[in-house]
Amino acid sequence: MAEHLDIIEGTKAEKYEALVPQIQAVIEDEPDMIANMANVASMLHETFGFWWTGFYRVVNEGEKQTLVLGPFQGPLACTRIRKGKGVCGTAWEKAETQVVPDVEQFPGHIACSSASKSEIVVPLMKDNCVFAVLDIDSENLSTFDETDKLYLEKIAALVKG
Ligand code: SME
């Protein structure tokens, strides 16, 4: 496994193109999901300088399921999110990536930090079920677009549940 992240420069697409194989190399032989989520959060966060980068995992609690905070980089975040709540809970319920240019316009957005202005949440799938989400927040409006969606969905698919 590589011991450091190569310096990555260029356009957003070029950065992702360079980052995806590095992420793959770091996590492909490691079966521990939490360790892999931790390294993916770190590599994305270091490369792009996002405000908050991390994972929430679907956890069974008796009859119910909830999203529980997983490995992340950035400030303190809310610990639990129910299905259908906020951007994360919506990505889970719909099993679809949510690109939110302005979080204040997203009904039910959960403000873990008032500094967060835009957000993308990508579901991680196993056997047609969401087992976690990758959540990235930016302190700028309209940070995320189809390029982020394309590459973050590729990166999310590398993390095995
Ligand atoms: N804003 C998210 C909650 C998680 S934090 O941003 C880290 C949401 O609405 O689901």
Side-chain angles (χ1 to χ4, degrees), residues 10-156:
T11 64
K12 179 155 74 175
E14 286 166 349
K15 287 182 175 179
Y16 278 118
E17 284 287 340
L19 188 57
V20 169
Q22 287 196 62
I23 289 178
Q24 188 160 16
V26 166
I27 72 175
E28 64 187 349
D29 294 327
E30 174 51 63
D32 190 280
M33 180 185 81
I34 297 292
N36 288 335
M37 287 176 168
N39 271 332
V40 170
S42 169
M43 294 170 89
L44 283 168
H45 204 74
E46 292 274 303
T47 300
F48 291 101
F50 295 129
W51 173 256
W52 195 94
T53 310
F55 292 87
Y56 284 87
R57 301 153 298 127
V58 175
V59 173
N60 294 319
E61 295 186 323
E63 303 283 290
K64 288 191 180 164
Q65 291 187 313
T66 189
L67 284 176
V68 181
L69 184 63
F72 72 95
Q73 300 269 320
L76 182 75
C78 37
T79 311
R80 283 163 193 274
I81 298 173
R82 280 181 291 145
K83 199 168 199 172
K85 300 293 173 192
V87 187
C88 291
T90 302
W92 176 22
E93 185 168 57
K94 294 188 172 172
E96 272 173 15
T97 298
Q98 305 293 307
V99 179
V100 182
D102 180 354
V103 293
E104 289 192 9
Q105 304 302 317
F106 189 95
H109 167 253
I110 302 163
C112 292
S113 161
S114 59
S116 174
K117 298 280 191 290
S118 61
E119 180 164 356
I120 185 167
V121 181
V122 179
L124 277 63
M125 310 291 298
K126 183 181 185 180
D127 302 331
N128 282 326
C129 289
V130 177
F131 69 89
V133 299
L134 168 60
D135 177 16
I136 305 181
D137 288 37
S138 165
E139 73 270 54
N140 301 308
L141 290 167
S142 304
T143 295
F144 306 103
D145 56 21
E146 286 300 308
T147 301
D148 299 279
K149 179 176 185 290
L150 175 76
Y151 286 101
L152 292 171
E153 287 179 351
K154 285 187 191 188
I155 290 166

